[in-house]
Amino acid sequence: FTNNIKNSLFETMRNAINVIFNDDKIILIGIIQSGFESSLYIFVFMWTRVLDDSANKFDHDHGIIFAIMMISCFIGCCIVTI
């Protein structure tokens, strides 16, 4: 019984990998999604540090800046569906 499950799992994974690598649209959407996610994670980890380094140049509120970023993401999502 376990051997059948392993074979079935292996076949399913192999079929999924074949579909991914044989369809250019899936690869393209994966690259686009990876670029978006990586830029978002870089922003999340670095934004407060960058703002704190420039604190002597202007007064800022982290909450307002983060809210503007989230609203911008929301507006972008709404524009895409138009």
Side-chain angles (χ1 to χ4, degrees):
F1 181 73
T2 17
N3 198 14
N4 290 338
I5 292 174
K6 287 180 183 177
N7 288 339
S8 175
L9 180 63
F10 178 73
E11 285 293 321
T12 303
M13 294 299 289
R14 189 171 60 172
N15 290 339
I17 290 170
N18 283 335
V19 168
I20 290 170
F21 286 112
N22 290 328
D23 190 353
D24 293 338
K25 291 179 182 178
I26 294 177
I27 292 174
L28 182 61
I29 197 69
I31 291 169
I32 292 169
Q33 182 67 27
S34 298
F36 175 78
E37 290 293 332
S38 62
S39 65
L40 186 64
Y41 283 123
I42 288 170
F43 174 79
V44 165
F45 287 120
M46 299 298 289
W47 75 282
T48 54
R49 184 171 160 205
V50 170
L51 290 177
D52 288 340
D53 289 344
S54 63
N56 56 359
K57 296 179 185 173
F58 65 94
D59 190 25
H60 58 279
D61 182 17
H62 288 134
I64 296 294
I65 294 171
F66 186 74
I68 291 170
M69 192 275 300
M70 294 307 293
I71 289 171
S72 299
C73 288
F74 174 72
I75 291 170
C77 289
C78 290
I79 290 173
V80 167
T81 59
I82 292 177

Coordinates of all heavy atoms in Angstrom, one line a residue:
F1 N 0.8 -1.2 0.0 CA 0.0 0.0 0.0 C 0.9 1.3 0.0 O 0.6 2.2 -0.7 CB -0.9 0.0 1.2 CG -1.9 1.2 1.3 CD1 -2.9 1.3 0.4 CD2 -1.7 2.1 2.2 CE1 -3.8 2.4 0.4 CE2 -2.5 3.2 2.3 CZ -3.6 3.3 1.4
T2 N 1.9 1.3 0.8 CA 2.8 2.5 0.9 C 3.5 2.7 -0.4 O 3.8 3.8 -0.8 CB 3.8 2.4 2.0 OG1 3.9 1.1 2.5 CG2 3.5 3.3 3.1
N3 N 3.9 1.6 -1.1 CA 4.6 1.7 -2.3 C 3.8 2.3 -3.4 O 4.3 3.1 -4.2 CB 5.1 0.3 -2.8 CG 6.2 0.3 -3.8 OD1 6.8 1.4 -4.0 ND2 6.4 -0.8 -4.5
N4 N 2.5 2.0 -3.4 CA 1.5 2.6 -4.4 C 1.4 4.1 -4.1 O 1.3 4.9 -5.0 CB 0.2 2.0 -4.3 CG 0.2 0.6 -4.9 OD1 1.1 0.2 -5.7 ND2 -0.8 -0.2 -4.5
I5 N 1.4 4.5 -2.9 CA 1.3 5.9 -2.5 C 2.6 6.7 -3.0 O 2.5 7.7 -3.5 CB 1.1 6.1 -1.0 CG1 -0.3 5.6 -0.6 CG2 1.2 7.6 -0.6 CD1 -0.6 5.6 0.8
K6 N 3.7 6.1 -2.7 CA 5.0 6.7 -3.1 C 5.0 6.8 -4.6 O 5.4 7.9 -5.2 CB 6.2 5.9 -2.6 CG 6.4 6.0 -1.1 CD 7.6 5.1 -0.7 CE 7.8 5.2 0.8 NZ 8.9 4.4 1.2
N7 N 4.6 5.8 -5.4 CA 4.6 5.9 -6.8 C 3.7 6.9 -7.3 O 3.9 7.7 -8.3 CB 4.3 4.5 -7.4 CG 5.4 3.5 -7.3 OD1 6.6 3.9 -7.1 ND2 5.1 2.2 -7.4
S8 N 2.5 7.0 -6.7 CA 1.5 7.9 -7.1 C 2.0 9.4 -6.8 O 1.8 10.2 -7.7 CB 0.2 7.7 -6.3 OG -0.7 8.7 -6.6
L9 N 2.6 9.6 -5.7 CA 3.2 10.9 -5.4 C 4.3 11.3 -6.3 O 4.3 12.4 -6.8 CB 3.7 10.9 -3.9 CG 4.3 12.2 -3.4 CD1 3.2 13.3 -3.4 CD2 4.9 12.0 -2.0
F10 N 5.1 10.3 -6.6 CA 6.2 10.6 -7.6 C 5.7 10.9 -8.9 O 6.1 11.9 -9.6 CB 7.1 9.4 -7.6 CG 8.3 9.5 -8.6 CD1 9.3 10.4 -8.3 CD2 8.3 8.9 -9.8 CE1 10.4 10.5 -9.2 CE2 9.3 9.0 -10.7 CZ 10.4 9.9 -10.4
E11 N 4.7 10.2 -9.4 CA 4.1 10.5 -10.7 C 3.4 11.9 -10.7 O 3.6 12.6 -11.7 CB 3.0 9.4 -11.1 CG 3.6 8.1 -11.5 CD 4.3 8.2 -12.8 OE1 3.8 8.9 -13.7 OE2 5.4 7.6 -12.9
T12 N 2.7 12.2 -9.7 CA 2.1 13.5 -9.6 C 3.1 14.6 -9.6 O 2.9 15.6 -10.3 CB 1.2 13.6 -8.3 OG1 0.3 12.5 -8.3 CG2 0.5 14.9 -8.2
M13 N 4.2 14.5 -8.9 CA 5.2 15.5 -8.8 C 5.9 15.6 -10.2 O 6.2 16.7 -10.7 CB 6.2 15.2 -7.7 CG 5.7 15.3 -6.3 SD 5.0 16.9 -5.9 CE 6.6 17.8 -5.8
R14 N 6.2 14.5 -10.8 CA 6.8 14.5 -12.1 C 5.9 15.2 -13.2 O 6.3 16.0 -14.0 CB 7.2 13.1 -12.6 CG 8.0 13.1 -13.8 CD 8.6 11.8 -14.1 NE 7.4 10.9 -14.3 CZ 7.6 9.6 -14.8 NH1 8.8 9.2 -15.0 NH2 6.5 8.9 -15.0
N15 N 4.6 14.9 -13.1 CA 3.7 15.5 -14.1 C 3.6 17.0 -13.8 O 3.5 17.8 -14.8 CB 2.3 14.9 -13.9 CG 2.2 13.5 -14.5 OD1 3.1 13.1 -15.3 ND2 1.3 12.7 -14.0
A16 N 3.6 17.4 -12.5 CA 3.5 18.9 -12.2 C 4.7 19.6 -12.7 O 4.6 20.7 -13.3 CB 3.3 19.1 -10.7
I17 N 5.9 19.0 -12.5 CA 7.1 19.6 -13.0 C 7.2 19.7 -14.5 O 7.6 20.7 -15.1 CB 8.4 18.9 -12.5 CG1 8.5 19.1 -11.0 CG2 9.6 19.3 -13.2 CD1 9.5 18.2 -10.3
N18 N 6.7 18.7 -15.2 CA 6.6 18.7 -16.7 C 5.7 19.9 -17.1 O 6.0 20.6 -18.1 CB 6.1 17.4 -17.2 CG 7.2 16.4 -17.2 OD1 8.4 16.7 -17.2 ND2 6.8 15.1 -17.1
V19 N 4.5 20.0 -16.5 CA 3.6 21.1 -16.9 C 4.3 22.5 -16.7 O 4.2 23.3 -17.5 CB 2.3 21.0 -16.1 CG1 1.4 22.2 -16.2 CG2 1.5 19.8 -16.5
I20 N 4.9 22.6 -15.5 CA 5.5 23.9 -15.2 C 6.6 24.3 -16.2 O 6.7 25.4 -16.8 CB 6.1 23.9 -13.8 CG1 5.0 23.9 -12.8 CG2 7.0 25.1 -13.6 CD1 5.4 23.7 -11.4
F21 N 7.5 23.4 -16.5 CA 8.6 23.7 -17.4 C 8.3 23.6 -18.9 O 9.0 24.1 -19.7 CB 9.8 22.8 -17.1 CG 10.5 23.1 -15.8 CD1 10.4 22.3 -14.7 CD2 11.2 24.3 -15.7 CE1 11.0 22.6 -13.5 CE2 11.8 24.7 -14.5 CZ 11.7 23.8 -13.4
N22 N 7.1 23.1 -19.3 CA 6.8 23.0 -20.7 C 5.8 24.1 -21.1 O 5.5 24.3 -22.3 CB 6.1 21.7 -21.0 CG 7.1 20.5 -21.0 OD1 8.3 20.8 -21.3 ND2 6.7 19.4 -20.6
D23 N 5.4 24.9 -20.1 CA 4.4 26.0 -20.5 C 5.1 27.4 -20.1 O 5.4 27.7 -19.0 CB 3.2 25.9 -19.7 CG 2.1 26.9 -20.1 OD1 2.4 27.8 -21.0 OD2 0.9 26.7 -19.6
D24 N 5.5 28.2 -21.1 CA 6.2 29.4 -20.9 C 5.4 30.4 -20.1 O 6.0 31.2 -19.4 CB 6.5 30.0 -22.3 CG 7.5 29.2 -23.1 OD1 8.3 28.4 -22.4 OD2 7.6 29.4 -24.3
K25 N 4.1 30.4 -20.2 CA 3.2 31.3 -19.4 C 3.4 31.0 -17.9 O 3.4 32.0 -17.1 CB 1.8 31.2 -19.8 CG 1.5 31.8 -21.2 CD 0.1 31.6 -21.6 CE -0.2 32.1 -23.0 NZ -1.6 32.0 -23.4
I26 N 3.5 29.8 -17.5 CA 3.6 29.5 -16.1 C 5.0 29.9 -15.6 O 5.1 30.5 -14.5 CB 3.4 27.9 -15.9 CG1 1.9 27.6 -16.2 CG2 3.7 27.6 -14.4 CD1 1.6 26.1 -16.0
I27 N 6.0 29.7 -16.4 CA 7.3 30.1 -16.0 C 7.4 31.7 -15.9 O 7.9 32.2 -14.9 CB 8.4 29.6 -17.0 CG1 8.5 28.1 -16.9 CG2 9.7 30.3 -16.7 CD1 9.4 27.5 -17.9
L28 N 6.8 32.4 -16.8 CA 6.7 33.8 -16.8 C 6.0 34.4 -15.6 O 6.5 35.3 -14.9 CB 6.1 34.4 -18.1 CG 6.1 35.9 -18.2 CD1 7.5 36.5 -18.2 CD2 5.3 36.3 -19.5
I29 N 4.9 33.8 -15.3 CA 4.1 34.3 -14.1 C 4.9 34.0 -12.8 O 4.8 34.7 -11.9 CB 2.7 33.7 -14.1 CG1 1.8 34.5 -13.1 CG2 2.6 32.3 -13.7 CD1 1.5 35.9 -13.6
G30 N 5.6 32.9 -12.8 CA 6.4 32.6 -11.6 C 7.6 33.6 -11.5 O 7.9 34.0 -10.3
I31 N 8.2 34.0 -12.5 CA 9.3 35.0 -12.5 C 8.7 36.3 -12.0 O 9.3 37.0 -11.2 CB 9.9 35.1 -13.8 CG1 10.7 33.8 -14.1 CG2 10.9 36.3 -13.9 CD1 11.3 33.7 -15.6
I32 N 7.5 36.7 -12.6 CA 6.9 38.0 -12.2 C 6.5 37.9 -10.7 O 6.8 38.9 -9.9 CB 5.7 38.3 -13.0 CG1 6.1 38.5 -14.5 CG2 4.9 39.4 -12.5 CD1 5.0 38.6 -15.5
Q33 N 5.9 36.9 -10.2 CA 5.5 36.8 -8.8 C 6.7 36.8 -7.9 O 6.7 37.4 -6.9 CB 4.7 35.5 -8.6 CG 4.2 35.3 -7.2 CD 3.2 36.3 -6.8 OE1 2.5 36.9 -7.7 NE2 3.1 36.6 -5.5
S34 N 7.8 36.1 -8.3 CA 9.0 36.1 -7.5 C 9.6 37.5 -7.4 O 10.1 37.9 -6.3 CB 10.1 35.1 -8.1 OG 9.6 33.8 -8.1
G35 N 9.6 38.2 -8.5 CA 10.1 39.6 -8.4 C 9.3 40.5 -7.5 O 9.9 41.3 -6.7
F36 N 8.0 40.4 -7.6 CA 7.1 41.2 -6.7 C 7.3 40.8 -5.3 O 7.5 41.7 -4.4 CB 5.7 41.0 -7.1 CG 4.7 41.7 -6.2 CD1 4.5 43.0 -6.3 CD2 4.0 40.9 -5.2 CE1 3.7 43.7 -5.4 CE2 3.2 41.6 -4.3 CZ 3.0 42.9 -4.4
E37 N 7.3 39.5 -5.0 CA 7.5 39.1 -3.6 C 8.8 39.4 -3.0 O 8.9 39.9 -1.8 CB 7.3 37.6 -3.5 CG 5.8 37.1 -3.7 CD 4.9 37.5 -2.6 OE1 5.3 37.7 -1.5 OE2 3.7 37.7 -3.0
S38 N 9.9 39.3 -3.8 CA 11.2 39.7 -3.3 C 11.3 41.1 -3.0 O 11.9 41.6 -2.0 CB 12.3 39.2 -4.2 OG 12.2 39.8 -5.5
S39 N 10.8 42.0 -3.9 CA 10.8 43.4 -3.6 C 10.0 43.8 -2.4 O 10.4 44.7 -1.6 CB 10.3 44.2 -4.8 OG 9.0 43.9 -5.1
L40 N 8.9 43.1 -2.2 CA 8.0 43.4 -1.0 C 8.7 43.0 0.3 O 8.7 43.7 1.2 CB 6.7 42.6 -1.1 CG 5.7 42.9 -0.1 CD1 5.2 44.4 -0.1 CD2 4.5 42.0 -0.2
Y41 N 9.4 41.8 0.3 CA 10.1 41.4 1.5 C 11.3 42.3 1.8 O 11.6 42.6 2.9 CB 10.6 39.9 1.4 CG 9.4 39.0 1.6 CD1 9.1 38.0 0.6 CD2 8.7 39.0 2.8 CE1 8.1 37.1 0.8 CE2 7.7 38.1 3.0 CZ 7.4 37.2 2.0 OH 6.3 36.3 2.2
I42 N 12.0 42.7 0.7 CA 13.1 43.7 0.9 C 12.6 45.0 1.5 O 13.2 45.5 2.5 CB 13.9 43.9 -0.4 CG1 14.6 42.7 -0.8 CG2 14.8 45.2 -0.3 CD1 15.2 42.8 -2.2
F43 N 11.5 45.5 1.0 CA 10.9 46.7 1.6 C 10.5 46.5 3.1 O 10.8 47.3 3.9 CB 9.6 47.1 0.8 CG 8.9 48.2 1.4 CD1 9.3 49.5 1.2 CD2 7.7 48.0 2.2 CE1 8.7 50.6 1.8 CE2 7.1 49.0 2.7 CZ 7.5 50.3 2.6
V44 N 9.8 45.4 3.4 CA 9.4 45.1 4.7 C 10.5 45.1 5.7 O 10.5 45.6 6.8 CB 8.5 43.8 4.8 CG1 8.4 43.3 6.2 CG2 7.2 44.0 4.1
F45 N 11.6 44.4 5.3 CA 12.8 44.3 6.2 C 13.6 45.6 6.3 O 14.3 45.8 7.3 CB 13.7 43.1 5.8 CG 13.0 41.8 6.2 CD1 12.8 40.9 5.2 CD2 12.7 41.5 7.5 CE1 12.2 39.7 5.5 CE2 12.1 40.3 7.8 CZ 11.9 39.4 6.8
M46 N 13.6 46.4 5.3 CA 14.5 47.5 5.2 C 13.9 48.9 5.4 O 14.7 49.9 5.7 CB 15.3 47.5 3.8 CG 16.1 46.3 3.6 SD 17.4 46.0 4.8 CE 18.5 47.3 4.3
W47 N 12.6 49.1 5.3 CA 12.0 50.4 5.3 C 12.3 51.2 6.6 O 12.6 52.4 6.5 CB 10.6 50.4 4.9 CG 9.6 49.9 5.9 CD1 9.3 48.6 6.2 CD2 8.7 50.7 6.7 NE1 8.4 48.6 7.2 CE2 8.0 49.8 7.5 CE3 8.5 52.1 6.8 CZ2 7.0 50.3 8.4 CZ3 7.6 52.5 7.6 CH2 6.8 51.7 8.4
T48 N 12.1 50.6 7.7 CA 12.3 51.3 8.9 C 13.7 51.7 9.2 O 14.0 52.8 9.6 CB 11.8 50.5 10.2 OG1 12.4 49.2 10.2 CG2 10.3 50.3 10.1
R49 N 14.6 50.8 8.8 CA 16.1 51.1 8.9 C 16.5 52.3 8.0 O 17.2 53.2 8.5 CB 16.9 49.9 8.6 CG 18.3 50.0 8.8 CD 19.0 48.7 8.6 NE 20.4 48.9 8.4 CZ 21.2 48.0 7.7 NH1 20.7 46.9 7.3 NH2 22.4 48.3 7.5
V50 N 16.0 52.3 6.8 CA 16.3 53.4 5.9 C 15.7 54.7 6.4 O 16.4 55.7 6.4 CB 15.8 53.1 4.5 CG1 15.9 54.3 3.6 CG2 16.6 51.9 3.9
L51 N 14.5 54.7 6.9 CA 13.9 55.9 7.5 C 14.6 56.4 8.7 O 14.8 57.6 8.9 CB 12.4 55.7 7.8 CG 11.5 55.5 6.6 CD1 10.1 55.2 7.1 CD2 11.6 56.7 5.7
D52 N 15.1 55.5 9.6 CA 15.8 55.9 10.8 C 17.1 56.5 10.5 O 17.6 57.3 11.1 CB 15.9 54.7 11.7 CG 14.6 54.3 12.4 OD1 13.7 55.1 12.4 OD2 14.5 53.1 12.8
D53 N 17.8 56.0 9.4 CA 19.1 56.5 9.0 C 18.9 57.9 8.5 O 19.9 58.7 8.6 CB 19.7 55.7 7.9 CG 20.2 54.3 8.4 OD1 20.3 54.2 9.7 OD2 20.5 53.4 7.6
S54 N 17.8 58.3 7.9 CA 17.5 59.6 7.4 C 16.7 60.5 8.3 O 16.2 61.5 7.9 CB 16.9 59.5 6.0 OG 15.6 59.0 6.2
A55 N 16.7 60.1 9.6 CA 15.8 60.8 10.6 C 16.2 62.3 10.8 O 15.4 63.1 11.1 CB 15.8 60.1 11.9
N56 N 17.5 62.5 10.6 CA 18.0 63.9 10.8 C 17.6 64.8 9.7 O 17.6 66.0 9.8 CB 19.5 64.0 11.1 CG 20.2 63.3 9.9 OD1 19.7 62.9 9.0 ND2 21.6 63.4 10.1
K57 N 17.2 64.3 8.5 CA 16.8 65.1 7.4 C 15.4 65.6 7.4 O 15.1 66.7 7.0 CB 17.1 64.4 6.1 CG 18.6 64.0 5.9 CD 18.8 63.3 4.6 CE 20.3 62.9 4.5 NZ 20.5 62.0 3.3
F58 N 14.5 64.7 7.9 CA 13.1 65.1 8.0 C 12.4 64.3 9.1 O 12.8 63.2 9.4 CB 12.4 64.9 6.6 CG 12.3 63.5 6.2 CD1 11.2 62.7 6.4 CD2 13.3 62.9 5.4 CE1 11.1 61.4 6.0 CE2 13.3 61.6 5.0 CZ 12.1 60.8 5.3
D59 N 11.3 64.8 9.5 CA 10.5 64.2 10.5 C 9.5 63.2 9.8 O 8.9 63.6 8.9 CB 9.8 65.2 11.4 CG 9.1 64.6 12.6 OD1 9.6 63.5 13.1 OD2 8.1 65.1 13.1
H60 N 9.4 62.0 10.3 CA 8.5 61.0 9.6 C 7.8 60.2 10.7 O 8.2 60.1 11.8 CB 9.3 60.1 8.7 CG 10.4 59.4 9.4 ND1 11.6 60.0 9.7 CD2 10.5 58.2 9.9 CE1 12.4 59.1 10.4 NE2 11.7 58.0 10.5
D61 N 6.7 59.6 10.2 CA 5.9 58.7 11.0 C 5.8 57.4 10.3 O 5.3 57.3 9.2 CB 4.5 59.3 11.2 CG 3.6 58.5 12.1 OD1 4.2 57.6 12.8 OD2 2.4 58.7 12.1
H62 N 6.3 56.3 10.9 CA 6.3 55.0 10.3 C 4.9 54.5 9.9 O 4.7 53.9 8.9 CB 7.0 54.0 11.2 CG 8.5 54.2 11.3 ND1 9.2 54.2 12.5 CD2 9.5 54.4 10.4 CE1 10.4 54.4 12.3 NE2 10.7 54.5 11.0
G63 N 4.0 54.8 10.8 CA 2.6 54.4 10.5 C 2.0 55.0 9.3 O 1.4 54.3 8.5
I64 N 2.2 56.3 9.1 CA 1.7 57.0 7.9 C 2.3 56.4 6.7 O 1.7 56.1 5.6 CB 1.9 58.5 8.0 CG1 1.1 59.1 9.2 CG2 1.6 59.2 6.7 CD1 -0.4 59.0 9.0
I65 N 3.6 56.3 6.7 CA 4.4 55.8 5.5 C 3.9 54.4 5.2 O 3.7 54.0 4.0 CB 5.9 55.9 5.8 CG1 6.3 57.3 5.9 CG2 6.7 55.2 4.7 CD1 7.7 57.6 6.3
F66 N 3.8 53.5 6.2 CA 3.3 52.1 5.9 C 1.9 52.1 5.4 O 1.6 51.4 4.5 CB 3.4 51.3 7.2 CG 3.1 49.8 6.9 CD1 4.0 49.0 6.3 CD2 1.9 49.3 7.4 CE1 3.8 47.7 6.0 CE2 1.7 47.9 7.1 CZ 2.6 47.2 6.5
A67 N 1.0 53.0 5.9 CA -0.3 53.1 5.4 C -0.4 53.5 4.0 O -1.2 53.0 3.2 CB -1.1 54.0 6.3
I68 N 0.5 54.5 3.6 CA 0.5 54.9 2.2 C 1.0 53.8 1.3 O 0.4 53.6 0.2 CB 1.4 56.1 2.1 CG1 0.8 57.3 2.8 CG2 1.8 56.4 0.6 CD1 1.7 58.5 2.9
M69 N 1.9 53.0 1.8 CA 2.4 51.9 1.0 C 1.3 50.8 0.8 O 1.1 50.3 -0.3 CB 3.6 51.2 1.6 CG 4.4 50.2 0.7 SD 3.8 48.5 0.7 CE 3.9 48.0 2.3
M70 N 0.6 50.5 1.8 CA -0.5 49.6 1.7 C -1.7 50.1 0.8 O -2.2 49.3 0.1 CB -1.1 49.2 3.1 CG 0.0 48.5 4.0 SD 0.7 47.0 3.2 CE -0.7 45.9 3.2
I71 N -2.0 51.3 0.9 CA -3.0 51.9 0.1 C -2.6 51.9 -1.4 O -3.3 51.6 -2.3 CB -3.3 53.4 0.5 CG1 -4.1 53.3 1.8 CG2 -4.1 54.1 -0.5 CD1 -4.3 54.7 2.5
S72 N -1.3 52.1 -1.6 CA -0.7 52.1 -3.0 C -0.9 50.6 -3.5 O -1.2 50.5 -4.7 CB 0.7 52.5 -3.0 OG 0.8 53.8 -2.6
C73 N -0.6 49.6 -2.7 CA -0.8 48.2 -3.2 C -2.2 48.0 -3.5 O -2.5 47.3 -4.5 CB -0.2 47.3 -2.1 SG 1.6 47.3 -2.0
F74 N -3.1 48.5 -2.6 CA -4.6 48.3 -2.8 C -5.0 48.9 -4.1 O -5.8 48.3 -4.9 CB -5.3 48.8 -1.7 CG -6.8 48.7 -1.8 CD1 -7.5 47.5 -1.8 CD2 -7.5 49.9 -2.0 CE1 -8.9 47.5 -2.0 CE2 -8.9 49.9 -2.2 CZ -9.6 48.7 -2.2
I75 N -4.6 50.1 -4.4 CA -5.0 50.9 -5.6 C -4.4 50.1 -6.8 O -5.1 50.0 -7.8 CB -4.5 52.3 -5.5 CG1 -5.2 53.1 -4.5 CG2 -4.6 53.0 -6.9 CD1 -4.7 54.5 -4.2
G76 N -3.2 49.6 -6.7 CA -2.6 48.9 -7.8 C -3.4 47.6 -8.1 O -3.7 47.3 -9.3
C77 N -3.9 46.9 -7.1 CA -4.7 45.7 -7.3 C -6.0 46.1 -7.9 O -6.6 45.4 -8.8 CB -4.9 45.0 -6.0 SG -3.5 44.2 -5.3
C78 N -6.6 47.2 -7.5 CA -7.9 47.6 -8.1 C -7.8 48.1 -9.5 O -8.6 47.8 -10.4 CB -8.5 48.8 -7.3 SG -9.0 48.3 -5.6
I79 N -6.7 48.7 -9.9 CA -6.4 49.2 -11.3 C -6.2 47.9 -12.2 O -6.7 48.0 -13.3 CB -5.2 50.1 -11.3 CG1 -5.6 51.4 -10.7 CG2 -4.8 50.3 -12.8 CD1 -4.4 52.4 -10.5
V80 N -5.6 46.9 -11.7 CA -5.4 45.7 -12.5 C -6.7 45.1 -13.0 O -6.8 44.6 -14.1 CB -4.5 44.7 -11.8 CG1 -4.4 43.4 -12.5 CG2 -3.0 45.3 -11.7
T81 N -7.7 45.1 -12.1 CA -8.9 44.4 -12.4 C -9.8 45.2 -13.3 O -10.9 44.7 -13.7 CB -9.7 44.1 -11.1 OG1 -10.0 45.3 -10.4 CG2 -8.9 43.1 -10.2
I82 N -9.5 46.5 -13.6 CA -10.3 47.3 -14.5 C -10.2 46.9 -15.9 O -9.2 46.5 -16.4 CB -9.9 48.8 -14.4 CG1 -10.3 49.3 -13.0 CG2 -10.6 49.7 -15.4 CD1 -9.9 50.7 -12.7

